[in-house]
């Protein structure tokens, strides 16, 4: 039964795809310079480079190879340089628009690791500009990597169902607003920035669970994506202004971008215009943003906190300061840090276990490499440390157990 | 305001030291201010240059480098460490009568200029030699092994090549470090 259904889908997909021709209207005239420039800006705002460039920096930009880990297996970003055989050199602007907004290329259907569920509302004008820009890049004759997906997820024609079922869904707005800035922010955030793709949990079928849009996705990677709804952000002390600072500089009083957010700032948001950055911040917080929550005072067992504080002084305070104040160009403040204020301790635990690589931000601002303490601290010591941090500077309950630490320690990715 | 004190016992260069010291004291300040062991250098003070490196001797017989500028003194409570002052052989009067093989090779190779980074390099190279005594490497891997072990240490006088040559000399001329 399953087999015959899949065959039927394959047939249907073949019929659907036969209409697409690769070379019908490939641009022959060079695109005007301002369109290319705009395309470059939009490609940065849409953060194309990260997923379409090898992770270790070994490959040429846009030549593909970045691994995206999904519950269904690993999917590699593809070559989107103008190489005719391996890249998109044989595509027309029409083909490009269909691929970006519908997930259908001249060859096959795209896995939703390509965020066409978000890009589906991209304007034709923006798509054409990105296309024009990509066509100015040097073609790189690099074959695409085989995806590591298991059957039936590897069966592309089956994506017909996924696309028909989920491409209609409209992303609910994260906040309310009506201003022109908010409207622009909605487009930059939901469509170009495709922020919901990481910050929304997914269902078993791999589509965004729109009932919880922007409420965070702890399963994104070892470092999860936090809740970025207005109430979620305000609960961790964020304001519209601080968010804008964060997108522009990668560092705000609430902490620096790390995990998957680091490349987002590095390759995308820092290059955006001040107007677009403010627009994202306004859209995330709403036209009438909620007030940032003050740090709650937490009552916790004094002996437990003392043990955590000792560990903090022993291995953290040298960089983060005895009062958790941080040091410029060395480390972020712990006091009021967004990660400490997160009700979910996952990101705090994982970054303490694994460490964080050195970070380079605009204007020569750096954050030094933070070593991981998996080897130095026991589960008990780590839980005491995390509880001390949460209760003292995060306003969160000191309720993390040694077992929880152990669970994150053994988790393999 | 009173600064909370906490007892600290550390085994340093073969001797036990017990003192009450402030809770938030960093190890390098403890060495400098309380023990007059001023050989460990305070360079960046933020864990980057490694001039302040000391050796931690683990109970399983392994040794490792620790940056004393960013590690609290009480981290070392009950632990055993060596600082740059602990490498040479001393006579009964406490005078240094011989330097360690790695120190000797650093001298022979003119490895350092101002010498500010040298305590960190001596400790790192010593940890490396001790590791090779436990786990020798193939001759072809010697250069890569040295680079990996010393890579994070900074020398502002840029004496890297001579440090490298000196460490390589020790490894190639000391029996048992190569398989
Ligand atoms: S002084 Fe400790 S690493 Fe630079
Ligand atoms: S010899 Fe001067 S810093 Fe290394």
């Amino acid at each position: 039964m399953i087999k015959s259904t899949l065959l039927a889908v394959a047939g249907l997909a073949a019929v659907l795809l036969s209409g697409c021709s690769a070379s019908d209207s490939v641009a022959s005239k060079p695109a005007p310079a301002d369109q290319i420039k705009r395309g470059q800006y939009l490609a940065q705002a849409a953060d194309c480079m990260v997923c379409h460039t090898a992770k270790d920096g070994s490959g040429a930009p846009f030549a593909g190879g970045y691994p995206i880990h999904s519950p269904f297996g690993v999917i590699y970003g593809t070559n989107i340089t103008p190489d005719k055989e391996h890249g998109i050199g044989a595509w027309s602007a029409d083909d490009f628009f269909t691929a970006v907004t519908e997930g259908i290329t001249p060859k096959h259907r795209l896995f939703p690791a390509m965020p066409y569920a978000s890009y589906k509302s991209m304007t034709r004008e923006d798509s054409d500009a990105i296309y024009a820009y990509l066509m100015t890049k040097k073609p790189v004759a690099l074959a695409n990597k085989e995806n590591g997906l298991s059957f039936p997820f590897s069966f592309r024609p089956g994506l017909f169902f996924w696309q028909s079922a989920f491409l209609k869904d409209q992303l609910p707005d994260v906040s309310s607003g009506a201003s022109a800035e908010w409207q622009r922010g909605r487009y930059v955030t939901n469509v170009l920035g495709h922020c919901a793709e990481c910050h929304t949990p997914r269902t078993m079928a791999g589509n965004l669970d729109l009932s919880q849009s922007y409420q965070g996705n702890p399963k994104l990677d070892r470092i999860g994506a936090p809740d970025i709804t207005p109430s979620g952000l305000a609960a961790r002390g964020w304001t519209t202004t601080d968010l804008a600072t964060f997108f522009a500089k990668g560092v705000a009083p609430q902490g620096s971008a790390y995990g998957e957010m680091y490349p987002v700032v590095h390759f995308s948001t820092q290059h955006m215009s001040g107007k677009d950055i403010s627009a994202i911040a306004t859209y995330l917080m709403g036209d009438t943003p909620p007030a940032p929550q003050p740090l709650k005072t937490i009552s916790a067992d004094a002996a437990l906190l003392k043990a955590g504080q000792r560990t903090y002084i022993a291995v953290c305070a040298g960089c983060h300061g005895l009062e958790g104040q941080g040091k410029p160009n060395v480390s972020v403040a712990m006091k009021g840090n967004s990660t400490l204020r997160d009700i979910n301790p996952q990101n705090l635990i994982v970054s303490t276990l694994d460490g964080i690589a050195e970070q380079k931000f605009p204007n020569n601002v750096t954050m030094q490499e933070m070593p991981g303490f998996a080897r130095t601290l026991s589960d008990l010591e780590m839980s005491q440390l995390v509880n001390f941090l949460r209760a003292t500077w995060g306003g969160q309950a000191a309720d993390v157990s040694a077992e929880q630490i152990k669970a994150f320690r053994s988790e393999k990715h | 305001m009173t600064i909370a004190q906490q007892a600290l016992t550390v085994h340093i260069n073969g001797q036990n030291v017990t003192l009450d010291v402030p809770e938030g004291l960093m190890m390098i300040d403890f060495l400098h201010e309380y023990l007059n062991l001023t050989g460990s250098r305070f360079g960046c003070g933020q864990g980057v240059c490694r001039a302040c490196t000391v050796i931690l001797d683990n109970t399983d017989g392994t040794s490792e480098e620790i940056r004393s500028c960013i590690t609290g003194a009480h981290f070392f409570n009950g632990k055993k460490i060596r600082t740059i002052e602990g490498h040479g052989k001393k006579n009964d009067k406490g005078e240094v009568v011989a330097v360690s093989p790695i120190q000797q090779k650093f001298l022979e190779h003119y490895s350092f200029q101002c010498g500010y980074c040298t305590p960190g390099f001596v400790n790192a190279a010593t940890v490396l030699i001790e590791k090779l005594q436990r786990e020798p490497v193939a001759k072809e891997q010697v250069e890569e092994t040295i680079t990996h072990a010393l890579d994070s240490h900074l020398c502002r006088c840029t004496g890297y090549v001579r440090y490298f040559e000196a460490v390589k000399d020790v490894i190639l001329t000391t029996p048992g470090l190569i398989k």
Side-chain angles (χ1 to χ4, degrees):
Chain A
M1 174 62 198
I2 291 176
K3 203 170 160 194
S4 60
T5 310
L6 290 174
L7 283 174
V9 172
L12 183 54
V15 172
L16 283 170
L17 294 182
S18 61
C20 304
S21 154
S23 52
D24 277 355
S25 55
V26 176
S28 48
K29 271 191 274 147
D34 50 351
Q35 189 194 28
I36 292 168
K37 208 165 149 223
R38 202 175 124 68
Q40 177 179 17
Y41 178 81
L42 291 164
Q44 282 170 336
D47 208 7
C48 309
M49 179 118 111
V50 174
C51 296
H52 289 283
T53 305
K55 199 174 189 174
D56 52 8
S58 61
F62 302 113
Y66 183 91
I68 297 167
H69 299 277
S70 80
F72 313 108
V74 65
I75 300 167
Y76 291 96
T78 52
N79 184 341
I80 54 167
T81 69
D83 184 72
K84 285 221 163 27
E85 191 185 344
H86 305 291
I88 60 168
W91 294 14
S92 66
D94 288 348
D95 295 335
F96 185 76
F97 184 64
T98 310
V100 166
T101 57
E102 292 174 40
I104 303 170
T105 78
K107 275 194 196 139
H108 51 224
R109 285 170 189 269
L110 293 170
F111 294 109
M114 166 75 179
Y116 49 84
S118 294
Y119 291 160
K120 66 176 184 278
S121 309
M122 189 182 290
T123 64
R124 179 64 203 240
E125 195 192 355
D126 284 356
S127 166
D128 284 355
I130 298 175
Y131 172 79
Y133 166 67
L134 289 175
M135 286 300 157
T136 65
K137 304 270 70 169
K138 201 168 153 236
V140 179
L142 184 71
N144 286 312
K145 274 190 160 177
E146 263 317 298
N147 291 321
L149 294 171
S150 55
F151 190 80
F153 307 116
S154 55
F155 186 66
R156 286 181 189 265
L159 288 165
F160 166 73
F161 288 124
W162 195 95
Q163 292 175 342
S164 340
F166 301 122
L167 271 187
K168 297 188 298 289
D169 298 339
Q170 268 315 319
L171 196 62
D173 279 319
V174 70
S175 67
S176 46
S179 65
E181 189 176 44
W182 186 90
Q183 305 275 359
R184 171 68 183 164
R186 172 199 252 172
Y187 182 71
V188 182
T189 308
N190 285 350
V191 182
L192 293 179
H194 59 282
C195 308
E197 298 274 341
C198 289
H199 288 276
T200 302
R202 288 178 185 271
T203 69
M204 297 278 281
N207 59 304
L208 299 177
D209 178 355
L210 298 181
S211 67
Q212 299 182 63
S213 71
Y214 286 112
Q215 288 176 27
N217 179 9
K219 297 208 182 104
L220 180 70
D221 207 330
R222 267 182 72 77
I223 297 289
D227 180 339
I228 55 167
T229 59
S231 58
L233 287 166
R236 303 198 305 280
W238 288 97
T239 63
T240 309
T241 313
D242 289 343
L243 273 181
T245 305
F246 180 79
F247 295 135
K249 300 186 172 165
V251 190
Q254 293 81 355
S256 65
Y258 67 103
E260 296 290 314
M261 195 61 199
Y262 177 66
V264 173
V265 169
H266 196 76
F267 291 108
S268 180
T269 61
Q270 66 155 313
H271 303 290
M272 289 185 183
S273 67
K275 264 184 148 176
D276 277 348
I277 285 175
S278 295
I280 302 177
T282 299
Y283 178 69
L284 289 177
M285 294 301 280
D287 272 347
T288 325
Q293 301 287 305
L295 263 187
K296 281 199 267 314
T297 314
I298 296 294
S299 56
D301 181 64
L304 187 141
L305 291 189
K306 189 74 203 166
Q309 187 191 26
R310 291 212 164 119
T311 301
Y312 178 79
I313 293 172
V315 296
C316 316
C319 292
H320 290 285
L322 284 171
E323 304 300 326
Q325 72 275 28
K327 284 189 194 170
N329 287 304
V330 175
S331 63
V332 295
M334 293 286 96
K335 195 169 184 177
N337 186 288
S338 185
T339 301
L340 271 60
R341 297 191 70 177
D342 195 335
I343 191 166
N344 181 350
Q346 173 182 336
N347 288 356
L348 178 57
I349 296 172
V350 171
S351 45
T352 313
L353 281 171
D354 299 0
I356 299 174
E358 184 194 38
Q359 301 172 315
K360 291 195 187 303
F361 293 115
N363 306 323
N364 287 330
V365 171
T366 52
M367 286 297 148
Q368 237 165 254
E369 178 199 354
M370 167 167 137
F373 293 94
R375 216 170 50 87
T376 319
L377 302 178
S378 67
D379 292 340
L380 179 66
E381 287 167 327
M382 185 80 81
S383 68
Q384 291 165 338
L385 171 64
V386 164
N387 285 327
F388 164 74
L389 291 169
R390 278 166 62 86
T392 315
W393 294 314
Q396 290 293 344
D399 57 0
V400 175
S401 67
E403 286 68 40
Q404 268 172 285
I405 306 285
K406 192 173 175 196
F408 282 110
R409 199 186 276 278
S410 52
E411 194 178 309
K412 291 270 180 294
H413 272 260
Chain B
M1 175 189 138
T2 51
I3 299 175
Q5 305 272 319
Q6 201 189 331
L8 170 65
T9 300
V10 199
H11 188 91
I12 301 180
N13 301 332
Q15 284 183 340
N16 262 328
V17 181
T18 302
L19 281 170
D20 278 355
V21 298
E23 275 190 331
L25 192 74
M26 288 295 123
M27 187 57 171
I28 190 146
D29 297 323
F30 175 65
L31 296 173
H32 288 180
E33 307 298 334
Y34 287 77
L35 305 182
N36 202 27
L37 293 173
T38 54
S40 302
R41 298 290 184 232
F42 186 88
C44 63
Q46 57 188 59
V48 174
C49 71
R50 281 157 163 88
C52 65
T53 297
V54 298
I55 301 174
L56 174 66
D57 284 308
N58 294 314
T59 45
D60 63 0
T62 61
S63 54
E64 63 181 289
E65 297 177 53
I66 304 264
R67 288 164 283 178
S68 63
C69 71
I70 54 164
T71 310
H74 290 96
F75 172 82
F76 296 91
N77 193 32
K79 296 192 165 89
K80 204 171 157 188
I81 69 162
R82 279 172 283 163
T83 67
I84 189 64
E85 290 87 351
H87 291 266
K89 275 211 174 59
K90 297 197 177 107
N91 63 17
D92 296 344
K93 287 186 231 148
E95 296 158 346
V96 175
V97 291
V99 294
S100 75
I102 193 79
Q103 287 175 310
Q104 183 59 39
K105 288 293 178 197
F106 280 0
L107 288 169
E108 288 169 16
H109 284 261
Y110 295 100
S111 295
F112 48 90
Q113 288 122 81
C114 79
Y116 206 80
C117 63
T118 310
F121 272 96
V122 169
N123 285 333
T126 304
V127 166
L128 170 63
I129 303 294
E130 290 169 354
K131 182 160 184 254
L132 293 178
Q133 281 163 352
R134 297 188 306 273
E135 303 159 27
V137 291
K139 201 167 175 188
E140 316 79 78
Q141 286 170 359
V142 167
E143 298 204 342
E144 190 191 323
T145 306
I146 301 170
T147 306
H148 183 72
L150 303 186
D151 197 32
S152 47
H153 285 255
L154 300 184
C155 169
R156 290 300 79 194
C157 303
T158 66
Y160 298 111
V161 174
R162 288 175 181 189
Y163 274 134
F164 184 92
E165 292 300 336
V167 177
K168 191 169 155 194
D169 193 353
V170 177
I171 295 175
L172 296 180
T173 55
T174 308
L177 305 184
I178 294 172
K179 44 178 188 199

